Amino acid sequence: MNDFKQIIKAGIFGVVVGDALGVPVEFTSREERREDPVTDMREYGTHSQPMGTWSDDSSMALATLDSIVKNNGIVYEDIMKRFREWMINGAYTPHGHVFDIGITCSRAVAGFRPGMDPLKCGADGERDNGNGSLMRIMPVSLYDALDENFWNSGRLEKAAENTHNASSLTHGHPRSLMGCMIHTAICHELIYRNDRTVIDAVQNAVDKTLAFYDNAGEKYPWYNIEFRTEIMADTYGRLRNLEAFKKLPDSDIKSTGYVVHTLEAAIWCLLNSESYAECVLKAVNLGDDTDTVGAVAGGLAGLAYGYDNIPAEWLDVIVSKDWINGLCEDFAGITLT
Ligand SMILES: [Mg+2]
């Protein structure tokens, strides 16, 4: 039987540990990582932070997790208030201050005031498709992915609505919304993988999600001309054949802060690994946006291989580990709606 508490810890700590592995080498090149690969937790480096320090990715994910726990569900305005507390007062940070923040997230959160529609805060232009919503989506993904009836009619639409809205707090373009929804579906398939291979589970998630979009139409309130254009462009089309995608050389996999690159890189690392550690180290050693590619790959690998597969010596150095653990346990206790 699935143990929700262990699954939630696998997903959340999967993100946080992957983030912390990437922080010291963020923005370094792939060539640098090839010469000096990350093989263990490091300290200092790019942001001069002590070992086990996680970044904005985890801060925003943990703020979201806390909001869902405190409200017993998803309340967008409350999530945005917590993002503001993070950005302005250093809440949800390892050491009380923000040392890294993406420009699109920063603008959205800075622009939010109580009483405003939080779903209108995120920029929604084609150029606003950084990985800033994908990097923090895990709690919302888990909230829906844990439901065993995820693919049922009505339930799937609700999951898409929740995931789209959560992305829209900072990133409102359909490309970001779809990337986050593919993530949610992959989380579901990994949680209920049973004896299937990882690639089979991920392929099933991608196929069903892209079919959902391909067959979407005006019956959905979110479906508009931009969404239609995005679906027609088949931006995530490389994921339709994961056996071929998996075999691509790393020169065909980019690890930038663009949402499509980040999701692709995370999936590519997951498919070319057999453990949590192998997957996150591969992700971080792609270079560039190492913390976020590490975080996204880490979340998926946590769900694929389980909490116990995350190296204990990495978990032990994570700042505020016990507090994160408590949040995960509280999250397991809330009612799934
Ligand atoms: Mg970061």
Side-chain angles (χ1 to χ4, degrees):
M1 238 341 261
N2 284 302
D3 177 344
F4 275 19
K5 212 175 272 183
Q6 287 299 104
I7 294 167
I8 291 158
K9 283 167 61 177
I12 299 297
F13 277 105
V15 168
V16 177
V17 171
D19 182 6
L21 282 163
V23 163
V25 294
E26 192 182 2
F27 308 129
T28 60
S29 70
R30 199 169 295 182
E31 290 65 40
E32 281 173 84
R33 298 279 59 83
R34 216 170 267 140
E35 281 167 25
D36 173 28
V38 174
T39 58
D40 207 345
M41 277 289 174
R42 291 187 179 187
E43 53 191 351
Y44 306 115
T46 307
H47 299 284
S48 297
Q49 297 295 317
M51 192 178 290
T53 298
W54 27 274
S55 73
D56 51 339
D57 313 49
S58 298
S59 291
M60 295 184 86
L62 293 168
T64 305
L65 186 66
D66 192 30
S67 175
I68 296 175
V69 166
K70 297 280 157 52
N71 293 281
N72 203 28
I74 302 173
V75 179
Y76 302 108
E77 181 162 1
D78 185 75
I79 295 174
M80 280 301 261
K81 282 182 186 161
R82 286 167 202 272
F83 287 170
R84 267 185 83 82
E85 273 303 299
W86 159 68
M87 198 176 88
I88 294 167
N89 295 323
Y92 304 103
T93 61
H95 310 293
H97 64 272
V98 177
F99 61 86
D100 194 14
I101 185 167
I103 190 151
T104 309
C105 282
S106 159
R107 279 198 191 129
V109 176
F112 171 74
R113 294 288 180 279
M116 280 174 66
D117 181 355
L119 304 182
K120 298 257 175 359
C121 287
D124 59 2
E126 198 185 344
R127 299 191 61 81
D128 302 311
N129 280 307
N131 53 22
S133 61
L134 179 65
M135 72 180 193
R136 60 171 173 80
I137 203 70
M138 179 58 87
V140 174
S141 292
L142 285 173
Y143 184 81
D144 286 303
L146 285 164
D147 189 337
E148 57 184 334
N149 299 314
F150 180 83
W151 294 113
N152 287 5
S153 174
R155 191 66 196 78
L156 176 62
E157 285 77 3
K158 186 66 190 162
E161 184 190 319
N162 288 341
T163 304
H164 288 173
N165 286 348
S167 176
S168 295
L169 297 174
T170 57
H171 292 67
H173 189 270
R175 194 169 304 165
S176 286
L177 274 47
M178 289 174 73
C180 288
M181 184 55 189
I182 293 170
H183 180 272
T184 295
I186 292 173
C187 289
H188 173 76
E189 287 297 302
L190 291 174
I191 291 167
Y192 294 96
R193 178 159 73 95
N194 301 320
D195 49 11
R196 287 178 299 163
T197 59
V198 169
I199 194 167
D200 282 353
V202 176
Q203 188 70 72
N204 195 45
V206 169
D207 290 350
K208 284 182 166 170
T209 310
L210 292 182
F212 167 68
Y213 284 119
D214 289 341
N215 299 319
E218 273 125 33
K219 59 186 168 177
Y220 298 123
W222 46 263
Y223 189 87
N224 55 21
I225 184 75
E226 286 80 20
F227 234 109
R228 202 179 89 98
T229 305
E230 193 60 28
I231 291 163
M232 298 296 285
D234 202 23
T235 318
Y236 294 96
R238 293 214 298 180
L239 303 175
R240 289 183 190 268
N241 181 350
L242 288 178
E243 286 293 348
F245 178 74
K246 172 188 171 173
K247 294 193 188 94
L248 291 174
D250 77 351
S251 53
D252 284 339
I253 303 298
K254 294 195 170 69
S255 47
T256 72
Y258 173 45
V259 64
V260 180
H261 290 166
T262 301
L263 184 63
E264 283 190 346
I267 293 172
W268 184 84
C269 292
L270 179 71
L271 299 182
N272 283 299
S273 312
E274 276 162 10
S275 68
Y276 177 85
E278 189 186 354
C279 178
V280 284
L281 292 176
K282 202 175 285 267
V284 167
N285 286 318
L286 289 175
D288 208 340
D289 199 355
T290 52
D291 59 330
T292 301
V293 178
V296 177
L300 298 181
L303 294 176
Y305 302 112
Y307 179 72
D308 293 339
N309 194 252
I310 303 176
E313 62 272 25
W314 292 352
L315 287 165
D316 285 343
V317 298
I318 291 298
V319 178
S320 306
K321 180 194 169 198
D322 293 342
W323 168 73
I324 298 170
N325 197 56
L327 273 185
C328 291
E329 296 198 349
D330 290 346
F331 187 81
I334 68 162
T335 315
L336 296 171
T337 50

